[in-house]
Amino acid sequence: MTMRDVAVVGVGLSKFGERWDSGLKELMAEAGVAALEDASITSNDVEMIFGGTMASGSFTGQEHIAALMSDQLGFKNIPAVRIENACASGGSALRLGYMAVASGIHDIVVVGGVEKMTDVPSAEAGTALGGAGDQEWELFQGITFPGLYAMMAKRHMHEYKTTEEMLAGVAVKNHANAYLNKYAQFHKKLTIEEVLNSKMVSDPLKLFDCSPISDGAAALVLAPLEVAKKYNDTPIKILASEQASDTLRLAERESLTGIKATSLAAEKAYKRAKVKANDIKLAEVHDCFTIAEIMAMEDLGFYEKGKAGKAVLDGETALNGKISINTSGGLKGCGHPVGATGVKQAVEVVWQLRGEAGNRQVNGAEIGLTHNVGGSGATAVVHIFGRSN
Amino acid sequence: MEKPSASLWRKIGARYNIIGSECKTCGAKHFPPRIVCRKCGRETKMVDKKFTGNGEVVSFTKIMVPPDMFKDEAPYIVGIIALDEGPKVEGHIIDNGKAIEIGTKVRAVFRTMYVDGDEGPIYYHYKFEPV
Amino acid sequence: MSGIVGYGAHVPIYRIKVEEIAKVWGEDANAIKAGLNLKEKSVPGRDENAATIAVEAARRAVFHSGIDVKKLGAVYVGSESHPYAVKPTATVVIESIMASNNIMAADLEFACKAGTAGVQISMGLVDSGMIEYGMGIGTDTSQGRPGDALEYTASAGGAAFIIGREKKEIIANIIKTVSYTSDTPDFWRREGAAFPTHSGRFTGEPGYFRHTTNATKLLFENTGLKPADFAYAVFHQPNGKFPVMVAKQLGFSDAQIAPGLLTPLIGNTYSGASMLGLAATLDISKPGDKIMVTSFGSGAGSDSFAIEVTDNIDSKRSRITGVRKLMETNKKYVDYATYLKDKDFIKGR
């Protein structure tokens, strides 16, 4: 089977945060138009759209999101498909967009991700997010998402002596990065003490260990690499697009201290991209909770199991550290409009690889990785991007 | 009424009595029950398997910020329990004054999980308590 | 002749002290403790109700009996706090003990004596040959209106008894049971009302004492037995005082009622009270011991039983969790505010 190389030729992002001014449509338009402009294409050029969203129905009552995106962006009656893969909806949408272009079926494809979460009370939003786990056994028993990740954190602390300070270190670093990102939800630096003293949500996870409830949208324009220069001076090549799944129930997994789907997807991605984990100097990882970033650092092979927490406190993962993790601020600092997150991660990496990340630019970024998780780890999507020249 | 009562009734054997399943092809035991064995796939030969409800805490947490349905129950402790027969299962752990730690031995008890307002159904469930 | 083949009990781990309630209402705790002969009462957890208590007791009874639960032919659950007005508690019990679906089941209500009524019905069905085994359960999470005298006593607990007729399985023969019943409005709870209402001191002489005394005397007449023939006696115990008084009036000693007198420690478990008392008494009795039990339910009526312990009691003893042990294990005290929350008495939620 011959596959075409695929490039990202346009990226767009809405401002993330509590977007009282905007509904789904406005958020889609904000990110979508930016991506089309970035790729210097018109609405008429787009052949298909893949739209990632997790729970628009629960959050806003609106389903049928991909057709709505196509409609709102003025696309001309093109095929539009919604992808729901919990918090990995965006990453999964990107992978399908990649497959559509790589296969030769379509040339210009838009991948969108959106979530409008603040129109419902936060307890209701939490219940909707709970649908990413096993409704019948986890949610039915009142086991929340912070609860699931808290049990992973507690086990990680038990097995590897990971500390609450290490968890807090992730939040502090990601807020510091978000401070430099105008699209980010938070522009407030945190201290370890502030994180440790924040309200307990599900021990050991405190409020500032958790990503926020956010509104936002992100969009990408994909094209075959061979024609990519037509659209953008610095097309970014997708070196690998891989994904894996696991049991929906956390309890049924082999291990609580890592996400197997992440390791499996990463392994395949490194092979496909012909790179090693330690070639990666830039990564956007799925830090829905601080413990999730620590596990991701280990599952992606950046650090040995049990060593990631210390690396965070040692500053190795800060901007222009040994490996720059979550330069956007991550889900924690930039915000986590669930369906948009996986797409936003790619937007950030593209900006970094193009050298357009401004005061949060990673020096000499050549290869970047995105890592998007659904639920407590039933889905993981890993993409690797590289400068094409 | 927030939840259709049929969804509880359908799994009453599992929720009341921890009846799961066992694959006669490979011997793997499952709780909650499932139709297809994760190891054997299409080759599965599943039969009912009653678990004792005795096990050990693998991890746990105290939920301080509950979903709406559980707003009057918080805080409450939930955990993942490795049953003596093998499967790991999520459930509430009752704070009976005994220390709850990773490795704590627990047994299953019968409690309400959720009472749907003044007029809806009452959902009963297994919970665990330290022994 | 039918007898008890197994029994089980359940008492919630939570307690509230008389002092904790008295201080809210500005009452004299010591006077109340002395007046009621009671120092604290059991309180159900937020996740416990009459059905969960019945299930815990029933499971212990099945385990104790050693019977094949599929041969259980009837389950009767007596309570005045059935969780539903319409939808049986008994169905929760049969499903959770994995009984056969080919079973008779119903809920009973006769204030505090509905459980012993369930035992009598089971005896009738077993003796007639309609079923092999029957189970009678008394369970309650009784309601005491905040500020009412009953608030100090209304507690939670239950016990289950399995009745069978196989001689080798019976741990205690039921020699005889009789009842004394009249229409007496001493205490009631209307449909839809959250709390019961009582007629104060009228609950005493015309209610409790008249019925317990008459039923017990009827038992004596029918069996030819007298107080001295019994090793132990158990009376319904709405407080710690009434059972002591009626025992004395009938000619029983304090020692005879001591093992089964639980209310001073856990309060009045209503439908559970006399049955828990019997269970606690069986826990310590020896083959050949005779036990007299008289329940009481407002409205009003009493069921009296003459029971004789058999040799089988010792062989099944290792399978029982003693009532006193249940009462003492993991005991946790709650404050009045928590008690209100757990009973769902807080307005506006």
Side-chain angles (χ1 to χ4, degrees):
Chain A
M1 186 182 76
T2 54
M3 285 202 327
R4 301 194 291 182
D5 284 332
V6 180
V8 180
V9 297
V11 297
L13 207 58
S14 78
K15 167 85 173 75
F16 278 19
E18 293 175 316
R19 292 292 306 271
W20 310 118
D21 61 322
S22 297
L24 275 172
K25 291 170 183 165
E26 291 78 14
L27 293 168
M28 287 171 181
E30 193 175 324
V33 168
L36 298 182
E37 275 175 5
D38 190 43
S40 310
I41 59 170
T42 71
S43 298
N44 294 338
D45 297 325
V46 180
E47 294 174 29
M48 180 162 186
I49 180 165
F50 292 90
T53 192
M54 179 192 159
S56 58
S58 304
F59 292 133
T60 65
Q62 182 67 60
E63 310 288 11
H64 213 166
I65 288 296
L68 183 66
M69 285 181 179
S70 176
D71 160 11
Q72 293 299 305
L73 288 166
F75 299 163
K76 298 297 179 286
N77 306 92
I78 61 168
V81 174
R82 167 182 170 169
I83 288 89
E84 186 279 299
N85 245 357
C87 320
S89 298
S92 304
L94 170 55
R95 185 160 190 271
L96 289 171
Y98 164 83
M99 288 162 69
V101 176
S103 67
I105 292 178
H106 292 295
D107 285 335
I108 302 293
V109 162
V110 166
V111 174
V114 68
E115 212 75 62
K116 173 69 199 173
M117 302 171 73
T118 60
D119 277 353
V120 293
S122 55
E124 209 175 299
T127 304
L129 292 171
D134 189 308
Q135 168 72 226
E136 205 170 45
W137 294 99
E138 292 174 337
L139 199 60
F140 185 88
Q141 298 190 65
I143 305 177
T144 58
F145 258 86
L148 291 169
Y149 276 92
M151 288 194 275
M152 294 194 244
K154 191 156 277 184
R155 191 73 207 181
H156 203 282
M157 292 164 81
H158 176 76
E159 288 182 28
Y160 301 111
K161 309 269 179 280
T162 306
T163 64
E164 294 183 37
E165 286 76 15
M166 292 172 184
L167 300 179
V170 172
V172 171
K173 170 191 66 85
N174 288 351
H175 270 246
N177 289 345
Y179 191 75
L180 305 173
N181 181 359
K182 66 175 181 177
Y183 292 93
Q185 178 160 358
F186 296 120
H187 292 118
K188 181 188 185 304
K189 290 187 184 173
L190 291 177
T191 64
I192 298 269
E193 288 66 36
E194 280 175 301
V195 179
L196 292 178
N197 292 331
S198 63
K199 175 184 152 78
M200 190 64 82
V201 172
S202 190
D203 70 305
L205 300 181
K206 297 151 207 87
L207 185 63
F208 290 162
D209 284 302
C210 307
S211 58
I213 285 174
S214 319
D215 305 323
L220 302 168
V221 180
L222 307 183
L225 181 65
E226 56 194 9
V227 297
K229 285 268 186 191
K230 235 172 80 185
Y231 305 103
N232 200 296
D233 294 339
T234 324
I236 300 300
K237 184 180 169 185
I238 299 177
L239 302 176
S241 173
E242 297 293 345
Q243 185 171 340
S245 64
D246 204 342
T247 64
L248 217 65
R249 289 175 51 239
L250 176 64
E252 206 167 353
R253 306 253 176 83
E254 285 166 24
S255 164
L256 297 184
T257 54
I259 289 176
K260 188 182 175 186
T262 296
S263 323
L264 294 175
E267 210 173 291
K268 289 189 285 180
Y270 293 140
K271 206 172 152 196
R272 172 84 64 186
K274 300 190 177 64
V275 298
K276 293 195 216 42
N278 57 19
D279 295 329
I280 309 289
K281 302 296 174 209
L282 162 71
E284 286 286 305
V285 307
H286 197 91
D287 60 323
C288 49
F289 299 93
T290 50
I291 182 64
E293 178 159 323
I294 286 173
M295 291 193 298
M297 290 160 67
E298 296 166 352
D299 296 337
L300 291 167
F302 303 154
Y303 288 90
E304 261 177 67
K305 206 78 210 151
K307 299 276 163 59
K310 184 172 180 298
V312 172
L313 285 186
D314 291 347
E316 291 183 19
T317 56
L319 188 60
N320 283 311
K322 203 167 140 197
I323 170 172
S324 301
I325 293 184
N326 282 333
T327 54
S328 71
L331 284 57
K332 174 71 198 87
C334 188
H336 184 27
V338 191
T341 284
V343 182
K344 178 224 85 179
Q345 293 176 325
V347 172
E348 173 68 11
V349 166
V350 166
W351 278 334
Q352 289 285 355
L353 295 180
R354 284 182 188 166
E356 294 174 357
N359 56 1
R360 64 177 194 285
Q361 180 64 46
V362 174
N363 304 325
E366 292 288 330
I367 298 173
L369 177 146
T370 62
H371 162 248
N372 191 197
V373 174
S376 61
T379 293
V381 191
V382 172
H383 283 91
I384 300 175
F385 303 84
R387 290 174 65 96
S388 62
N389 42 352
Chain B
M1 235 176 64
E2 294 186 27
K3 280 186 163 295
S5 49
S7 66
L8 170 95
W9 170 81
R10 202 175 295 137
K11 292 285 161 66
I12 228 170
R15 296 200 192 280
Y16 285 15
N17 291 315
I18 322 190
I19 298 170
S21 44
E22 179 173 2
C23 176
K24 284 294 172 194
T25 308
C26 71
K29 299 176 183 73
H30 304 275
F31 188 86
R34 45 189 303 149
I35 307 290
V36 177
C37 171
R38 279 183 53 77
K39 202 187 286 175
C40 301
R42 206 199 80 179
E43 268 36 59
T44 306
K45 286 196 178 61
M46 214 64 108
V47 296
D48 283 357
K49 161 81 185 163
K50 161 94 174 95
F51 293 94
T52 57
N54 298 324
E56 188 178 303
V57 176
V58 177
S59 194
F60 67 99
T61 182
K62 186 184 270 188
I63 306 267
M64 308 297 289
V65 181
D68 260 356
M69 263 174 64
F70 286 82
K71 68 176 163 49
D72 289 346
E73 317 306 318
Y76 51 91
I77 299 169
V78 298
I80 291 176
I81 309 300
L83 296 175
D84 286 353
E85 298 91 338
K88 283 182 288 177
V89 49
E90 55 284 277
H92 279 232
I93 306 175
I94 293 171
D95 178 6
N96 64 5
K98 291 189 177 159
I100 298 169
E101 282 159 5
I102 288 173
T104 296
K105 300 277 183 202
V106 295
R107 66 183 192 99
V109 296
F110 188 82
R111 296 290 185 270
T112 64
M113 177 55 66
Y114 170 58
V115 178
D116 193 348
D118 288 336
E119 298 189 1
I122 298 167
Y123 297 98
Y124 296 96
H125 217 271
Y126 66 78
K127 286 188 178 180
F128 296 97
E129 73 171 10
V131 291
Chain C
M1 187 179 67
S2 59
I4 298 163
V5 300
Y7 65 93
H10 185 73
V11 179
I13 61 174
Y14 308 98
R15 300 285 183 279
I16 189 163
K17 288 180 188 285
V18 166
E19 287 84 348
E20 183 64 23
I21 300 172
K23 83 174 177 204
V24 175
W25 305 109
E27 296 195 86
D28 179 352
N30 285 331
I32 289 163
K33 284 161 78 174
L36 296 172
N37 182 25
L38 168 143
K39 62 172 190 132
E40 58 197 41
K41 68 167 187 172
S42 65
V43 177
R46 276 197 67 77
D47 55 2
E48 289 180 287
N49 63 22
T52 65
I53 290 171
V55 168
E56 292 291 357
R59 283 178 173 176
R60 288 185 179 118
V62 171
F63 178 73
H64 178 231
S65 71
I67 66 161
D68 174 2
V69 73
K70 301 290 179 202
K71 292 183 177 168
L72 194 63
V75 170
Y76 294 97
V77 183
S79 181
E80 58 156 74
S81 51
H82 288 294
Y84 290 86
V86 178
K87 196 203 165 297
T89 306
T91 55
V92 179
V93 174
I94 63 142
E95 208 74 58
S96 64
I97 60 175
M98 298 202 289
S100 161
N101 293 116
N102 302 327
I103 192 167
M104 289 183 259
D107 288 1
L108 304 175
E109 186 283 306
F110 196 143
C112 299
K113 81 159 195 80
T116 53
V119 171
Q120 289 178 323
I121 295 170
S122 297
M123 288 171 65
L125 292 168
V126 169
D127 283 335
S128 70
M130 279 179 73
I131 59 172
E132 256 184 271
Y133 303 101
M135 185 189 280
I137 303 174
T139 177
D140 259 309
T141 53
S142 49
Q143 318 88 350
R145 195 187 298 272
D148 187 271
L150 288 182
E151 191 177 23
Y152 293 101
T153 53
S155 70
F161 285 81
I162 300 175
I163 306 302
R165 63 173 161 301
E166 284 296 323
K167 212 170 171 184
K168 62 179 191 302
E169 295 176 344
I170 291 175
I171 60 153
N173 288 308
I174 302 177
I175 302 165
K176 186 78 191 172
T177 178
V178 296
S179 295
Y180 182 86
T181 313
S182 79
D183 191 17
T184 309
D186 57 336
F187 171 102
W188 60 87
R189 180 165 66 88
R190 292 270 301 277
E191 175 76 34
F195 299 104
T197 302
H198 57 85
S199 352
R201 290 183 55 78
F202 181 67
T203 59
E205 208 47 60
Y208 181 83
F209 289 97
R210 173 185 171 204
H211 293 83
T212 49
T213 304
N214 282 324
T216 308
K217 283 182 173 163
L218 194 61
L219 187 75
F220 292 161
E221 283 167 25
N222 273 266
T223 57
L225 295 166
K226 51 191 188 306
D229 296 325
F230 292 97
Y232 305 106
V234 179
F235 289 94
H236 176 57
Q237 34 201 289
N239 49 50
K241 222 162 185 182
F242 281 13
V244 177
M245 287 164 67
V246 80
K248 190 171 225 165
Q249 287 166 14
L250 285 163
F252 290 100
S253 69
D254 286 352
Q256 280 170 297
I257 62 164
L261 188 58
L262 307 176
T263 293
L265 300 170
I266 57 170
N268 178 11
T269 54
Y270 283 51
S271 301
S274 54
M275 295 174 77
L276 274 168
L278 171 59
T281 305
L282 286 169
D283 284 344
I284 54 109
S285 53
K286 296 179 296 298
D289 283 348
K290 287 193 182 67
I291 304 169
M292 201 291 302
V293 183
T294 299
S295 64
F296 170 71
S298 286
S302 277
D303 303 327
S304 268
F305 300 81
I307 292 166
E308 183 169 21
V309 178
T310 74
D311 293 342
N312 298 325
I313 196 156
D314 288 331
S315 57
K316 288 191 188 176
R317 193 146 272 163
S318 64
R319 302 171 70 85
I320 201 82
T321 311
V323 177
R324 300 256 174 192
K325 192 180 166 203
L326 274 175
M327 284 163 49
E328 287 310 313
T329 309
N330 303 329
K331 210 161 74 168
K332 276 184 89 172
Y333 288 96
V334 297
D335 58 22
Y336 193 78
T338 307
Y339 166 77
L340 287 187
K341 182 194 172 198
D342 287 350
K343 296 283 271 179
D344 282 324
F345 287 170
I346 297 181
K347 263 183 153 180
R349 288 295 284 178

